[in-house]
Amino acid sequence: EVQLVESGGGMVHPGGSLGLSCVASGFPFNKYYMGWIRQSPGKRLEWVATIDGVGTAIYYSDSAKGRFTISRDNDLNTLNLQMNNLTTEDTGKYYCVKHPWNTRVWYDHETFIKGQGIQVTVSS
């Protein structure tokens, strides 16, 4: 059974930083694209970043580019997201997501398995 457990969220002031982690189990972690998505209040799920199985191909949304860094540690089955220079627009629930086999581009479908999510609040 696929399990994805996020940690590291919380509250931060604008301009601050937060790091998220996701521990994965139940599948060969290093074989799958992984990513982060988020849902802000009143909005749809939004793609944030994706990383390939070996960590060499990385993709960011325009809003994440230059501020967020996605990474993975395949020895620890862990996916990370370092978020810097946060703004109030980054407030939302962040989800770690396992892509279907050999699927790079995220879209909102049940085959993309996500964790329970973790809250990030950016507020002054």
Side-chain angles (χ1 to χ4, degrees):
E1 179 189 3
V2 172
Q3 290 196 340
L4 303 168
V5 180
E6 300 97 338
S7 62
M11 182 177 288
V12 65
H13 293 308
S17 299
L18 273 178
L20 305 182
S21 291
C22 168
V23 177
S25 61
F27 64 101
F29 182 69
N30 64 350
K31 302 295 186 186
Y32 285 83
Y33 284 93
M34 296 290 297
W36 291 94
I37 58 177
R38 69 186 183 187
Q39 188 160 29
S40 301
K43 296 186 178 179
R44 292 183 173 182
L45 282 170
E46 175 191 8
W47 170 68
V48 175
T50 295
I51 187 169
D52 74 344
V54 295
T56 55
I58 290 174
Y59 310 88
Y60 295 103
S61 67
D62 286 344
S63 63
K65 206 171 295 182
R67 300 187 301 127
F68 293 5
T69 302
I70 188 172
S71 63
R72 64 193 298 161
D73 185 332
N74 286 343
D75 290 334
L76 297 177
N77 279 13
T78 299
L79 179 73
N80 303 300
L81 185 69
Q82 177 62 37
M83 304 183 291
N84 298 328
N85 195 21
L86 286 159
T87 75
T88 56
E89 296 295 306
D90 296 313
T91 293
K93 197 165 188 180
Y94 284 69
Y95 299 88
C96 169
V97 61
K98 171 188 171 292
H99 290 216
W101 170 252
N102 204 31
T103 303
R104 178 176 66 84
V105 178
W106 175 83
Y107 56 97
D108 190 1
H109 190 268
E110 62 184 8
T111 54
F112 288 79
I113 300 172
K114 60 183 189 288
Q116 82 284 356
I118 194 156
Q119 182 66 33
V120 170
T121 302
V122 185
S123 175
S124 55

